[in-house]
């Protein structure tokens, strides 16, 4: 496992270095253009006396005689404090005081990386305290926003600081464990990327280093400790407090987010009782809002400003009357509005998984979820998701079921669900399920996937598997089929199949197997 982790980390470091170079250009360019707003670089004392490097942007002409709504923006994982300068200047132009700060443990800020632990949450409140004392900000109108790591910290802060009245969480997480350990399976490629970023740009705490070590070791005896560590850092754990505090919450994520898959954000959205909005678009982690960080027109940032304008300034801009769930399909360019998440896939169509299929473990069949970032970005910009030739997939290592050809386009929306009966030859194991759009020549384009791991099962004894695949929005053209493929190896995940293991899938008469596909109501 150590060698595996080292290889993944080497790849991650290369990717991160390129990203950070782009991020530096992205952040500093608008700084050079700042002419109307006041920009200050300051040190803020965070929790426990930790120094947090920050920048403050105030509206032009502010002289202390007028108070402005305050926006606090924690940086993303591994990015410097200048990350948000382009947006901060736009927001200051429209009448906000913006304080962006480098989270503890990264770059020039002090402290160690706590992965949105209690010190990070306390830091957010300390930054608010500092801003109220040192800027012309209004204590009654405070919001938080951030991308990725900053998004997660913003949600957690809203649970612990009732002064926060509105949040825009962009490419964030609500359930850390369901993000990197969904289906009880380690999302190794995505987590290695985060690990690499932390080592290149920051100083992980001993607790963080141990948690990551336990994660990559895939040691079952450490599982509950890892779950407890993650739940402490998940806004979903504190949703009752968020609801009690009443902050207006906007969530914007991408369908193909390989670090924080959309399921956990959609589930969290459903538990919120205050003002809320959910936006899901094509792309991977933080790619949907990326152009806005350069100061370019961007739908995510436009809606973010509208959200704050309404809930912090009281502007009647109509965002509260729009459909609160807004989606953009991976296949078409238009937006779709829904009254709630359950209305997204209003109808369901089952594909029967008839018969019996046995697959051998430990070999990659050729059906894969792609490569972290790269695959979903290709899908976002060119509609080129990972592909596989379905007829050529070796049935020794992949089980395959296909629907009939559809006479009309099928608009897949929401969360596909797999139900099957599995008989393993070992007490532990992993399977990965893939849903493909299959054209006339048998080429399958990946619609969605998800991993599933089990432990402590009796070899040779059947049990039920119920698995939610990652939520998506994808249009299957008329004349195409849907295919479900199940194998045991995917580079995105750590697999737990002993050497020589076999998995047998069956469909008992009294409990037939199927995949339930959510479809937009026609």
């Amino acid at each position: 496992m150590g060698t595996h982790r080292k290889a993944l980390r080497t790849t991650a470091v290369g990717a991160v270095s390129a990203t950070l170079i782009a991020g530096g250009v992205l952040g500093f360019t608008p700084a050079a253009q700042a002419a109307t707003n006041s920009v200050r670089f300051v040190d803020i004392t965070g929790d426990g006396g930790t120094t947090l490097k920050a920048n403050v942007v105030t509206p032009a002409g502010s002289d202390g005689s007028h108070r402005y709504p305050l926006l606090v923006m924690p940086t993303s994982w591994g990015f410097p404090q200048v990350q948000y300068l382009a947006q901060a200047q736009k927001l200051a132009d429209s009448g906000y005081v913006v304080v962006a700060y480098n989270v503890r443990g990264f770059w020039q800020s002090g402290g160690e990386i706590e992965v949105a632990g209690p010190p990070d949450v306390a830091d957010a409140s300390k930054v608010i305290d500092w801003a109220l004392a040192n800027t012309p900000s209004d204590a009654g109108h405070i919001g938080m926003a951030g991308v990725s790591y900053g998004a997660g910290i913003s949600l957690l802060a809203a649970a612990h600081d009732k002064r926060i009245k509105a949040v825009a969480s962009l490419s964030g997480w609500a359930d850390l464990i369901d993000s990197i350990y969904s289906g009880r399976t380690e999302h190794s490629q995505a987590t290695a990327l985060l690990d690499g970023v932390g080592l290149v740009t920051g100083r992980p705490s001993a607790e963080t280093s141990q948690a990551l070590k336990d994660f990559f070791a895939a040691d079952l005896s450490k599982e509950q400790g890892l779950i407890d560590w993650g739940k402490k850092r998940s806004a979903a754990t504190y949703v009752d407090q968020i609801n009690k505090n009443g902050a207006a919450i906007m969530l914007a994520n991408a369908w193909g987010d390989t670090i924080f898959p959309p399921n956990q954000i959609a589930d969290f959205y459903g538990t919120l009782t205050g003002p809320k909005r959910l936006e899901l678009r094509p792309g991977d982690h933080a790619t949907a809002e990326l152009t806005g960080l350069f100061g370019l027109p961007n739908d995510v940032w436009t809606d973010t400003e509208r959200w704050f304008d309404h809930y912090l300034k009281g502007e009647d801009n109509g965002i509260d009357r729009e459909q609160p769930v807004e989606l953009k399909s991976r296949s078409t360019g238009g937006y779709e509005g829904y009254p709630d998440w359950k209305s997204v896939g209003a109808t369901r169509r089952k594909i029967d998984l008839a018969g019996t299929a046995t697959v051998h473990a430990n070999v990659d069949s050729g059906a894969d979820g792609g490569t972290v970032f790269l695959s979903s970005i290709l899908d976002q910009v060119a509609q080129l998701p990972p592909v596989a030739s379905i007829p050529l997939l070796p049935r020794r290592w992949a089980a395959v079921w296909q629907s009939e050809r559809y006479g009309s386009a099928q608009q897949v929306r929401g969360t596909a669900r797999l139900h099957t009966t599995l008989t393993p030859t070992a007490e532990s194991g992993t399977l990965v399920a893939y849903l493909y759009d299959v054209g006339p020549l048998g080429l399958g384009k990946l619609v969605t996937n998800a991993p599933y791991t089990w432990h402590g099962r009796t070899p040779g004894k059947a049990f039920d598997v119920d698995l939610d695949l990652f939520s998506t929005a994808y249009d299957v053209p008329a004349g195409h089929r849907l295919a479900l493929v199940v194998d045991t190896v995917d580079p995105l995940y750590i697999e737990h199949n002993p050497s020589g293991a076999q998995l047998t899938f069956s469909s008992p008469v009294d409990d037939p197997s199927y995949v339930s596909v959510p479809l937009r109501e026609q």
Side-chain angles (χ1 to χ4, degrees):
M1 187 61 66
T3 301
H4 176 64
R5 181 183 181 187
K6 182 177 180 181
L8 286 172
R9 181 181 295 173
T10 301
T11 301
V13 168
V16 168
S17 298
T19 302
L20 288 174
I21 290 169
V25 173
L26 163 164
F28 283 105
T29 299
Q33 299 171 348
T36 57
N37 302 315
S38 171
V39 181
R40 289 187 292 147
F41 291 86
V42 301
D43 290 349
I44 297 175
T45 301
D47 184 56
T50 298
T51 298
L52 304 174
K53 296 293 183 177
N55 56 73
V56 183
V57 188
T58 53
S62 58
D63 56 8
S65 63
H66 179 76
R67 294 285 166 178
Y68 302 91
L70 168 66
L71 292 179
V72 173
M73 304 178 72
T75 53
S76 300
W77 182 275
F79 275 80
Q81 57 169 304
V82 294
Q83 176 187 10
Y84 300 119
L85 270 181
Q87 287 300 322
Q89 289 164 12
K90 286 188 174 184
L91 290 163
D93 280 342
S94 62
Y96 292 92
V97 172
V98 184
V99 180
Y101 71 96
N102 222 137
V103 291
R104 65 171 52 226
F106 286 102
W107 294 91
Q108 289 82 23
S109 283
E112 297 176 325
I113 301 170
E114 303 289 348
V115 194
D120 290 299
V121 178
D123 283 345
S125 292
K126 291 288 188 181
V127 173
I128 291 172
D129 293 342
W130 183 92
L132 294 177
N134 295 278
T135 71
S137 50
D138 185 345
H141 299 85
I142 299 173
M144 285 193 69
V147 176
S148 184
Y149 196 40
I153 291 174
S154 296
L155 287 176
L156 287 162
H160 293 84
D161 194 328
K162 62 183 179 182
R163 295 176 295 178
I164 300 168
K165 304 303 182 185
V167 171
S169 169
L170 314 181
S171 289
W173 79 92
D175 188 327
L176 187 58
I177 293 302
D178 199 36
S179 296
I180 64 174
Y181 191 57
S182 73
R184 212 176 174 186
T185 309
E186 295 85 357
H187 295 212
S188 55
Q189 201 172 102
T191 308
L193 180 62
L194 295 176
D195 188 15
V197 173
L199 292 172
V200 170
T201 65
R203 303 166 301 280
S205 68
E207 183 183 19
T208 297
S209 296
Q210 187 61 51
L212 289 169
K213 181 180 178 181
D214 293 343
F215 177 90
F216 287 107
D219 183 348
L220 196 59
S221 69
K222 305 289 187 179
E223 182 183 45
Q224 190 57 53
L226 184 66
I227 291 172
D228 294 342
W229 175 84
K231 292 301 183 184
K232 185 185 295 186
R233 291 158 169 79
S234 298
T237 302
Y238 311 101
V239 68
D240 290 344
Q241 194 61 43
I242 292 175
N243 288 333
K244 181 180 178 180
N245 290 347
I249 307 293
M250 173 180 156
L251 307 167
N253 281 60
W255 293 118
D257 195 321
T258 44
I259 296 178
F260 304 133
N263 302 48
Q264 46 91 33
I265 282 292
D267 290 344
F268 177 68
Y269 172 83
T271 65
L272 295 171
T273 58
K276 59 183 180 179
R277 182 177 179 89
L278 173 65
E279 300 183 358
L280 291 166
R281 296 174 173 85
D284 205 309
H285 184 65
T287 63
E289 56 269 30
L290 180 62
T291 57
L293 294 177
F294 286 92
L296 300 174
N298 181 278
D299 290 351
V300 182
W301 287 103
T302 296
D303 286 348
T304 294
E305 184 171 348
R306 293 176 63 225
W307 189 253
F308 288 131
D309 285 348
H310 179 75
Y311 287 103
L312 295 184
K313 289 183 177 180
E315 291 185 6
D316 184 16
N317 56 18
I319 197 167
D320 58 318
R321 296 188 296 275
E322 296 173 1
Q323 296 277 40
V325 177
E326 186 174 81
L327 312 180
K328 179 182 277 191
S329 169
R330 292 161 50 199
S331 308
T332 58
Y335 284 99
E336 304 165 2
Y338 299 87
D340 48 43
W341 177 248
K342 67 180 180 182
S343 300
V344 171
T347 60
R348 286 191 168 267
R349 187 168 187 169
K350 288 185 178 180
I351 300 172
D352 293 331
L353 310 181
T356 299
T358 297
V359 298
H360 295 249
N362 313 124
V363 174
D364 190 338
S365 71
D368 286 323
T371 302
V372 63
F373 279 118
L374 177 61
S375 297
S376 292
I377 291 174
L378 283 173
D379 186 39
Q380 177 185 3
V381 301
Q383 294 185 10
L384 292 174
V387 298
S389 175
I390 304 304
L392 297 181
L393 289 176
R395 284 357 185 220
R396 178 179 176 84
W397 296 298
V400 180
W401 297 268
Q402 296 191 73
S403 72
E404 76 283 1
R405 285 193 176 88
Y406 296 117
S408 60
Q410 304 293 296
Q411 295 181 309
V412 179
R413 300 288 187 276
T415 309
R417 297 188 172 98
L418 167 66
H419 173 77
T420 189
T421 298
L422 171 62
T423 305
T425 60
E427 60 91 20
S428 292
T430 299
L431 63 85
V432 186
Y434 310 87
L435 190 66
Y436 283 98
D437 160 25
V438 185
L441 299 179
L443 184 66
K445 295 182 177 181
L446 186 65
V447 178
T448 182
N449 78 101
Y452 180 91
T453 294
W454 65 93
H455 298 286
R457 292 291 180 175
T458 302
K461 185 176 180 179
F463 64 93
D464 290 342
V465 170
D466 290 287
L467 173 63
D468 284 355
L469 279 64
F470 299 136
S471 303
T472 195
Y474 181 97
D475 296 350
V476 180
H480 286 212
R481 307 173 185 264
L482 281 171
L484 182 81
V485 177
V486 181
D487 70 3
T488 64
V489 176
D490 190 303
L492 290 174
Y493 315 113
I494 292 177
E495 54 98 0
H496 296 261
N497 299 293
S499 179
Q502 297 179 31
L503 314 181
T504 297
F505 301 92
S506 58
S507 183
V509 174
D510 59 345
D511 185 21
S513 297
Y514 60 85
V515 59
S516 175
V517 180
L519 300 175
R520 184 184 183 190
E521 189 171 11
Q522 300 298 307

